Amino acid sequence: MKTAVRGIVGAPVDRIEGREKVTGQARYAFEHLPDDVAYAWAVLSPVARGEIRAIDASAALADPEVVAVISVENSPTLVRVDDGELALFQDRTIHYRGQIVAAAVANSLEAAREGAARVRIDADAQPHDVELTPGHPKLYAPEVVNAGFPPDSVIGDVDAALARSETVVDVTYRTPAEHNNPMEPHATLAIWEPDGSLTLHDSNQGAVVARDTIAQLLGLDPARVRVLSPHVGGGFGSKARPRPSAVLAALAAQITGRPVKLAVTRQQMFAFTGYRTPTLQRLRLGADADGRLTAISQEVSEQTSTVREFVEQTATPARVMYAAHNRRTTHRVAALDVPTPSIMRAPGEAPGMYALESAIDELASATGLDPIALRARNEPQLDPERGVPFSSRNLLACLREGAARFGWDRREPAPGTRRDGRWLLGTGVAASTYPVYRYPAQATARLRPDGGLVVSIAAADIGTGARTVLTQLAADALDVQIGRVTVELGDSALPRAFMAGASMGTASWGSAVVRACEALRARIAEHGDAPLEADLEAHADTTEEIARLENLSRHAFGAQFAEVRVDPDTGEIRVPRMLGVFAAGRIINAKTARSQMVGGMTMGLSMALMEESVMDREFGDYLNHDLAQYHVAANADVRDIEAIFLDEEDPHLNPIGSKGIGELGIVGTAAAIGNAVYHATGVRIRELPLRLDRVLAVLPRAVR
């Protein structure tokens, strides 16, 4: 093989599949069109809790275009799995409003929708409990929280330390339920093959995870289920696990004997495709006369459903961020009559760091210290709870670089003192962090007789640029031009890989790809210059490599800066300028990495100012279940956003030296904006989003 021009890794390479996407050649799950396809439409429960007495499908089946109505009356029996939401039609219990209780299958999408509307559900409604409140009687301590963390951690005596602290901050922050709204709604095309195997074209974040779960539910060998998802239009965590819609499509195809398509509507996505749990977070910080933390306590309450327990790891960032001898974090959860919350971009870190970084800002104000100086004063030398070294930790470098670029030295320390006409002006800062995860993965690299190089791995590209980054890594490891490499992904039949989530895709998949390419390169060298009569192939599995990792604390860090303008007459908040500075190991693609960070920061802006799923207590459902009422940031809201990466080398991570970036950008953004609003107005709002009415409710009349 000829030596290629180096510098592929790190370069701002355009997306490999970009032309396919903009010309419409890239096919998404719902766009495949097999012969004799039918369409399914879900019927949702009309009550939040109850029992189904009867289901009348006669009016629907009277339409000759409707080929079947599926419900508890005629559904096949499913194998029990750990996710009760997937157990469609297995009993008559209604666990939450919006639960799938039936479905119509028809020759056209319109007929399926009309048929579903004609299905009558006779349900015995029971009293429901859908609101997370302080001290809720159903709160309990879970055995574990998301990502396998223990729910509680205690070091020292927090209460005694707080009692003797020079300065104490004792505040409660609230965050609302938020719903993932990827551009492509959840969709599935299910095809039962003549040999009894199942093929699913499905919008998901991990074909292998989807395959294994669906196979278990249907009692099939995983080898008889194939999941294809080469192009996915976003997920934000909502597609990390199979959803009831995928199960419904498989059942409908099984019952009718035809390929069946099912697309979840935007409104239905607020019912059964996951969301971020609301949180109540009490923060207590104690500091001595020099502003050094003596105690950190973060106590979190959140909700789950009655069919599956999911508990966000909201307080875990407090376990690594700042030094203090006395520490306590707790998680309590209430099982309510609501859909199951699930992963949403930076689950735990996003709401947890919003509360922690806001409380740190309050402590800076109470002690009279600059917010950056306070953070620097409490920088730990070791992981504060595990007592092990950090593989690398460049938070202070991010804060200093950001301060210089943002013009922090020109900031007036006193809040509520800057104006531009009627607008109140303020700036804020917050830290970001996200753990470095890495899962085992397998990959195969092949050299074809025509000279082409193919890398295969069951990874997922959900719009993040994974296909491009893996191509860069493969080309670099093989020392060839990027155009010679083709990456195959999004297929459960390819070498096993975990889902796209927890910012671990590049580290996990990329490591396997690099090892496979290194092995192939060695085989090519052994083969010499003789012509190939068949593919030359090499395989890699990183399981043992991960098992040998050192006991270190691995995290990415960053600093978020925000400038806000607040209209004291209307409560309107504008964010003309945001800056994020991040230390995230080796950056594989400068263009897609920046895109990830800008996207995360934009989502953080939405979290701060707009996103809020409003629960109707009487009906037990979210009121604003569409994009007309559930607001997210648009172009006019995103003015000047910049993301900067510091050079960071960390040899203790993986063969490519990368840290995850998908979630890091959102973490800290909402706190930076909230802190800037305090700096602009002199009043603190401790509940997200920072709505106009909440701003006006606390602004002094003298300011207005």
Side-chain angles (χ1 to χ4, degrees):
M1 299 173 69
K2 294 181 179 179
T3 301
V5 176
R6 307 300 291 171
I8 297 172
V9 171
V13 175
D14 292 340
R15 292 175 189 250
I16 298 295
E17 79 286 6
R19 181 175 292 274
E20 291 180 74
K21 286 183 173 177
V22 300
T23 58
Q25 297 177 65
R27 286 196 176 184
Y28 293 81
F30 200 75
E31 295 178 323
H32 296 271
L33 191 63
D35 294 336
D36 198 31
V37 67
Y39 297 83
W41 195 279
V43 179
L44 308 186
S45 64
V47 300
R49 184 183 177 199
E51 292 288 324
I52 297 173
R53 291 195 189 113
I55 296 177
D56 183 359
S58 58
L61 293 171
D63 184 347
E65 289 294 299
V66 176
V67 298
V69 172
I70 308 169
S71 70
V72 67
E73 311 269 344
N74 63 348
S75 173
T77 300
L78 299 175
V79 176
R80 186 179 183 87
V81 297
D82 64 352
D83 187 348
E85 285 220 73
L86 302 182
L88 292 185
F89 317 133
Q90 300 303 292
D91 59 44
R92 295 178 178 271
T93 302
I94 295 174
H95 298 278
Y96 59 89
R97 192 180 183 97
Q99 176 182 327
I100 298 177
V101 294
V105 187
N107 293 326
S108 69
L109 184 64
E110 294 79 10
R113 181 175 185 174
E114 177 64 21
R118 292 180 178 182
V119 176
R120 295 289 172 259
I121 308 296
D122 182 8
D124 177 21
Q126 300 170 1
H128 57 255
D129 184 1
V130 295
E131 185 178 24
L132 179 67
T133 55
H136 195 290
K138 292 183 180 178
L139 286 169
Y140 66 92
E143 292 185 7
V144 69
V145 299
N146 187 43
F149 290 104
D152 298 351
S153 67
V154 179
I155 296 175
D157 189 334
V158 167
D159 295 328
L162 288 170
R164 62 175 180 266
S165 294
E166 184 76 17
T167 305
V168 174
V169 168
D170 186 346
V171 290
T172 298
Y173 281 84
R174 301 179 65 123
T175 62
E178 299 171 345
H179 277 81
N180 317 45
N181 273 287
M183 185 178 297
E184 178 200 19
H186 297 63
T188 306
L189 166 62
I191 305 171
W192 286 88
E193 309 292 351
D195 64 357
S197 61
L198 174 64
T199 299
L200 296 175
H201 296 270
D202 182 65
S203 182
N204 62 68
Q205 293 179 225
V208 172
V209 172
R211 177 200 66 190
D212 292 351
T213 304
I214 298 295
Q216 184 181 357
L217 269 167
L218 298 175
L220 296 174
D221 186 317
R224 299 183 65 77
V225 177
R226 185 179 183 186
V227 176
L228 296 162
S229 51
H231 299 286
V232 178
F236 304 121
S238 68
K239 299 175 183 176
R241 297 169 61 99
R243 294 300 175 185
S245 50
V247 181
L248 176 54
L251 291 176
Q254 184 179 29
I255 289 171
T256 62
R258 294 169 60 180
V260 171
K261 281 187 178 186
L262 187 150
V264 178
T265 68
R266 185 64 63 181
Q267 291 79 10
Q268 291 170 350
M269 286 177 62
F270 284 78
F272 53 78
T273 63
Y275 61 99
R276 195 192 300 281
T277 177
T279 70
L280 300 169
Q281 303 181 54
R282 185 184 183 189
L283 271 294
R284 283 180 283 179
L285 306 177
D288 63 19
D290 295 324
R292 288 184 172 81
L293 285 164
T294 57
I296 298 175
S297 175
Q298 186 168 7
E299 301 164 78
V300 180
S301 299
E302 50 195 66
Q303 71 186 36
T304 189
S305 72
T306 60
V307 292
R308 174 176 170 247
E309 182 184 86
F310 178 86
V311 187
E312 276 204 20
Q313 68 278 27
T314 308
T316 56
R319 299 176 186 177
V320 301
M321 281 305 297
Y322 302 111
H325 293 302
N326 304 281
R327 323 175 61 85
R328 177 172 60 214
T329 61
T330 66
H331 297 82
R332 298 294 179 265
V333 64
L336 306 179
D337 303 312
V338 296
T340 309
S342 66
I343 297 168
M344 183 170 176
R345 198 173 199 166
E349 281 77 15
M353 282 290 282
Y354 159 69
L356 176 62
E357 289 300 292
S358 299
I360 287 289
D361 198 70
E362 295 206 46
L363 182 63
S365 179
T367 57
L369 289 171
D370 177 84
I372 294 177
L374 177 70
R375 288 173 172 84
R377 196 160 295 187
N378 290 283
E379 175 74 356
Q381 297 302 308
L382 300 174
D383 183 301
E385 298 206 3
R386 294 175 56 199
V388 299
F390 289 95
S391 64
S392 58
R393 181 181 170 110
N394 285 298
L395 172 58
L396 294 187
C398 292
L399 286 165
R400 289 166 181 152
E401 180 68 18
R405 289 175 177 264
F406 200 73
W408 191 258
D409 59 339
R410 300 190 298 272
R411 182 182 193 256
E412 170 61 48
T417 57
R418 290 183 60 209
R419 278 186 179 266
D420 179 10
R422 76 174 190 273
W423 293 92
L424 303 172
L425 308 182
T427 52
V429 65
S432 303
T433 189
Y434 198 78
V436 175
Y437 294 116
R438 182 183 166 200
Y439 266 56
Q442 300 172 351
T444 297
R446 304 193 308 276
L447 173 64
R448 291 173 171 167
D450 63 4
L453 291 153
V454 179
V455 174
S456 303
I457 183 170
D461 192 332
I462 61 174
T464 56
R467 183 183 276 101
T468 305
V469 166
L470 294 179
T471 303
Q472 289 176 263
L473 289 168
D476 185 77
L478 292 166
D479 205 8
V480 299
Q481 297 285 0
I482 196 169
R484 282 190 62 187
V485 179
T486 299
V487 170
E488 298 176 331
L489 48 70
D491 183 345
S492 63
L494 298 175
R496 188 178 187 90
F498 200 58
M499 67 173 185
S503 295
M504 62 184 168
T506 299
S508 303
W509 312 325
S511 296
V513 164
V514 167
R515 292 305 189 220
C517 290
E518 289 173 346
L520 177 61
R521 193 170 178 183
R523 289 206 63 190
I524 293 171
E526 292 172 2
H527 183 80
D529 295 328
L532 282 177
E533 297 181 359
D535 288 359
L536 201 60
E537 184 173 292
H539 185 72
D541 186 334
T542 62
T543 303
E544 292 186 5
E545 188 175 276
I546 291 175
R548 295 193 297 270
L549 287 175
E550 302 168 78
N551 184 21
L552 298 171
S553 185
R554 297 174 175 84
H555 298 265
F557 292 95
Q560 303 274 14
F561 293 80
E563 176 184 307
V564 303
R565 299 165 66 87
V566 182
D567 187 326
D569 297 319
T570 66
E572 178 185 2
I573 299 172
R574 287 289 181 184
V575 184
R577 191 164 60 108
M578 287 201 299
L579 169 67
V581 180
F582 306 100
R586 187 186 188 194
I587 302 304
I588 309 302
N589 184 315
K591 180 176 289 188
T592 58
R594 179 185 178 276
S595 177
Q596 280 289 291
M597 288 306 186
V598 169
M601 293 167 69
T602 301
M603 200 166 174
L605 184 151
S606 277
M607 177 183 177
L609 302 182
M610 304 170 192
E611 294 197 44
E612 179 181 24
S613 300
V614 181
M615 174 63 73
D616 184 312
R617 292 188 294 274
E618 181 178 354
F619 293 100
D621 196 7
Y622 290 105
L623 290 169
N624 53 335
H625 51 259
D626 56 48
L627 292 184
Q629 301 174 85
Y630 183 91
H631 296 161
V632 297
N635 287 357
D637 305 299
V638 182
R639 299 285 295 278
D640 180 2
I641 297 184
E642 190 52 76
I644 304 296
F645 292 98
L646 301 185
D647 291 333
E648 182 179 66
E649 292 187 13
D650 189 333
H652 308 290
L653 303 172
N654 50 63
I656 56 180
S658 72
K659 296 180 177 180
I661 58 174
E663 266 102 346
L664 185 61
I666 190 175
V667 179
T669 303
I673 292 172
N675 294 339
V677 170
Y678 166 75
H679 185 241
T681 63
V683 294
R684 183 76 61 173
I685 302 170
R686 300 189 179 95
E687 182 172 7
L688 291 183
L690 304 174
R691 297 190 323 228
L692 279 65
D693 58 315
R694 289 173 179 157
V695 175
L696 292 176
V698 298
L699 274 181
R701 290 198 174 272
V703 175
R704 297 165 57 185

